[in-house]
Amino acid sequence: MNAFPAYDPTEAEPRLQAAWSAAGIYRFNPHDSRPIFAVDTPPPTVSGAIHIGHVYSYVQAEALIRYKRMRGYNVFYPFGFDDNGLPTERFVERSRGISAQRVGRAAFIQACLETSAEVKARFEQFWQRLGMSVDWAYRYSTIDPGARRTAQWSFLDLHRRGLIYRAQMPNPWCPTCGTAVAQAEMDDLERPTTFYTIAFALAADNGRRTMDDERRTTNDERPTTEGQPSGRSPQSAVGSPQSTVGSRQSTVGSRQSTVHSPQSTVHSRQSAVGSPQSTVG
């Protein structure tokens, strides 16, 4: 006779989870005198689906959190969703077949909020079914006014303390989305392309170039001695007053530029340029 009945997870796990929730085992008490163990987890992006990477990373944190709870700590474990970004917007466009340019800003924002609410409810149900020991009373969203205000205050505080700065700088731009994108949102694509190095001088002293002007090139490399570099292809006239064009194959690495007065030289070489795609001219 089998003294232990067969374990049925489909019956046992929902029953145990409901009992734990009713008992408030995961509830955080801010007035508890025990030492606090606070958990700051990166909120998953609301992009439509949970994959094995989500489960793998949060299960690791869950093991440590449960250990600390058993050690007597007052565990503060909120959980959030990142729904204030480009991945969510792209998911809404794909799932609803719309775009912000066609439906307008107000209608698109409303569509994002509705879709995010549906996905977040599904995500929360999944995490609860997985057994995450989260205090869902502290659930947050990055698009909530409180989260946005906190993020804005943090940037202002960092700026006041001189830890970040504001400047106009080149930024990646997505022609499809019509918006600037962060480097983290981009996938690198490496392909052969052409890298141009152009030597030039600036006008100064009534048209006469100074020694400093002679050394200003598009890259910060030391000029070679005067004369033609070895291995150059036949010359061709390209500009005024005089210029020469050469071509040679190389990988990305050190480059040389030759500056002649009043001549300038232009070299065109093939190189593997990645991160993410670019033709520099």
Side-chain angles (χ1 to χ4, degrees):
M1 179 179 178
N2 188 0
F4 300 97
Y7 177 72
D8 182 6
T10 61
E11 181 277 329
E13 292 181 3
R15 173 171 50 82
L16 292 172
Q17 289 166 4
W20 295 337
S21 178
I25 294 177
Y26 306 146
R27 193 173 302 141
F28 172 70
N29 182 5
H31 306 293
D32 197 320
S33 60
R34 295 177 299 167
I36 294 176
F37 182 75
V39 184
D40 180 18
T41 55
T45 301
V46 178
S47 56
I50 294 176
H51 52 74
I52 190 64
H54 289 111
V55 177
Y56 181 74
S57 60
Y58 284 102
V59 164
Q60 292 181 74
E62 183 68 23
L64 178 59
I65 291 163
R66 288 177 177 268
Y67 169 77
K68 289 293 186 179
R69 188 179 287 112
M70 290 188 291
R71 293 283 294 176
Y73 284 84
N74 183 23
V75 175
F76 176 55
Y77 187 13
F79 202 87
F81 298 98
D82 185 5
D83 53 359
N84 187 17
L86 191 59
T88 301
E89 295 180 10
R90 296 290 289 164
F91 171 69
V92 172
E93 289 178 334
R94 291 193 304 268
S95 61
R96 297 202 173 198
I98 63 175
S99 69
Q101 290 79 8
R102 291 201 305 265
V103 302
R105 177 182 174 84
F108 187 72
I109 290 176
Q110 184 61 33
C112 288
L113 294 174
E114 293 173 358
T115 304
S116 295
E118 298 169 2
V119 174
K120 285 185 291 187
R122 189 165 67 248
F123 276 19
E124 181 175 335
Q125 184 180 17
F126 173 83
W127 292 122
Q128 290 177 343
R129 183 67 181 83
L130 191 64
M132 301 278 287
S133 58
V134 171
D135 186 352
W136 291 102
Y138 287 93
R139 195 187 89 166
Y140 66 92
S141 172
T142 56
I143 205 171
D144 290 342
R148 285 186 289 172
R149 183 175 179 83
T150 301
Q152 291 167 357
W153 180 90
S154 299
F155 278 112
L156 292 173
D157 181 61
L158 291 170
H159 188 269
R160 281 192 295 264
R161 291 191 285 162
L163 299 177
I164 60 174
Y165 65 91
R166 183 177 182 179
Q168 290 193 8
M169 304 287 288
N171 197 72
W173 178 266
C174 177
T176 302
C177 303
T179 182
V181 293
Q183 185 71 34
E185 306 291 349
M186 301 167 61
D187 294 326
D188 292 344
L189 175 64
E190 185 172 307
R191 65 178 186 179
T193 185
T194 303
F195 191 100
Y196 294 98
T197 301
I198 304 175
F200 64 93
L202 303 178
D205 296 334
N206 295 325
R208 296 191 304 273
R209 293 177 295 180
T210 64
M211 291 298 294
D212 288 337
D213 294 330
E214 292 287 343
R215 288 172 173 81
R216 289 175 185 161
T217 61
T218 51
N219 49 1
D220 297 327
E221 298 161 354
R222 185 175 58 190
T224 62
T225 57
E226 290 190 357
Q228 300 294 342
S230 61
R232 177 159 320 162
S233 61
Q235 298 180 353
S236 61
V238 175
S240 179
Q242 292 181 8
S243 64
T244 57
V245 178
S247 176
R248 51 187 172 176
Q249 303 290 324
S250 71
T251 57
V252 174
S254 62
R255 301 180 297 276
Q256 294 182 340
S257 305
T258 306
V259 179
H260 305 288
S261 179
Q263 298 177 342
S264 65
T265 60
V266 180
H267 306 294
S268 173
R269 291 172 289 179
Q270 300 296 321
S271 61
V273 178
S275 190
Q277 303 179 19
S278 63
T279 301
V280 182

